[in-house]
Amino acid sequence: MKLTRIAALVPALAMVFALAGCGGAAEPIDVGALGQQLVDAAGFGEPMNALDGAVALGLYGAPEGTTVAAWAGTGATAEEVAVFDCGSAEAAGALVKTLEQRNEVRASQYADYDPEEVPKLENALIISGGQYVVLLVAQDQGDAAKIASEALAKAA
């Protein structure tokens, strides 16, 4: 009897220890704090201004229920920063596609308006991790790309 209980317990304990060794729980992201870090870490050709959340959601075509923190210049440049919490990885994936399409449209618009801005759009950072998405269009991404990637890796 005791041997049977021990034999049944060994696989169960092995499973517990195996799961405990997996990276742990995902860390939630404060979209405002991460966005501000990205603004501080990247180089921009003009001052960045915080956008109203409702305006930003409409501007980026974010799905309903998304939280966003966003910054942009005057519009004279293509530069912008936005961090989104979409609530799910599926919604984040859909937003990435929307942002990529938006970025392509902006690149074609800036090609006529200010061609010097097009390389910024061509090198834009649009990445996701779990339910989060980061958009960064900057003159110099500096350490911002690394900061964003690390934050998203912890959240996934």
Side-chain angles (χ1 to χ4, degrees):
M1 269 313 236
K2 287 185 182 183
L3 190 55
T4 306
R5 287 184 189 164
I6 292 173
L9 212 107
V10 170
L13 285 174
M15 175 93 65
V16 168
F17 288 123
L19 290 174
C22 294
E27 293 181 24
I29 291 177
D30 177 333
V31 295
L34 177 58
Q36 187 62 59
Q37 282 184 293
L38 301 179
V39 168
D40 294 343
F44 299 98
E46 65 178 329
M48 301 302 284
N49 303 298
L51 300 178
D52 176 76
V55 170
L57 289 173
L59 179 67
Y60 296 111
E64 191 174 322
T66 298
T67 303
V68 63
W71 291 258
T74 61
T77 69
E79 298 170 333
E80 59 189 343
V81 174
V83 181
F84 304 87
D85 179 347
C86 299
S88 72
E90 182 178 279
L95 181 59
V96 165
K97 290 178 185 173
T98 299
L99 293 175
E100 289 171 344
Q101 291 169 347
R102 177 183 177 274
N103 203 53
E104 289 174 15
V105 169
R106 291 185 77 220
S108 68
Q109 292 169 337
Y110 272 95
D112 293 331
Y113 171 68
D114 187 355
E116 292 179 14
E117 292 298 304
V118 174
K120 294 177 189 178
L121 291 160
E122 291 174 341
N123 296 313
L125 179 70
I126 302 173
I127 57 173
S128 66
Q131 67 194 45
Y132 302 97
V133 177
V134 169
L135 166 67
L136 172 65
V137 179
Q139 181 175 313
D140 176 13
Q141 291 183 1
D143 291 332
K146 181 180 177 185
I147 291 168
S149 295
E150 288 175 357
L152 293 177
K154 290 179 185 176

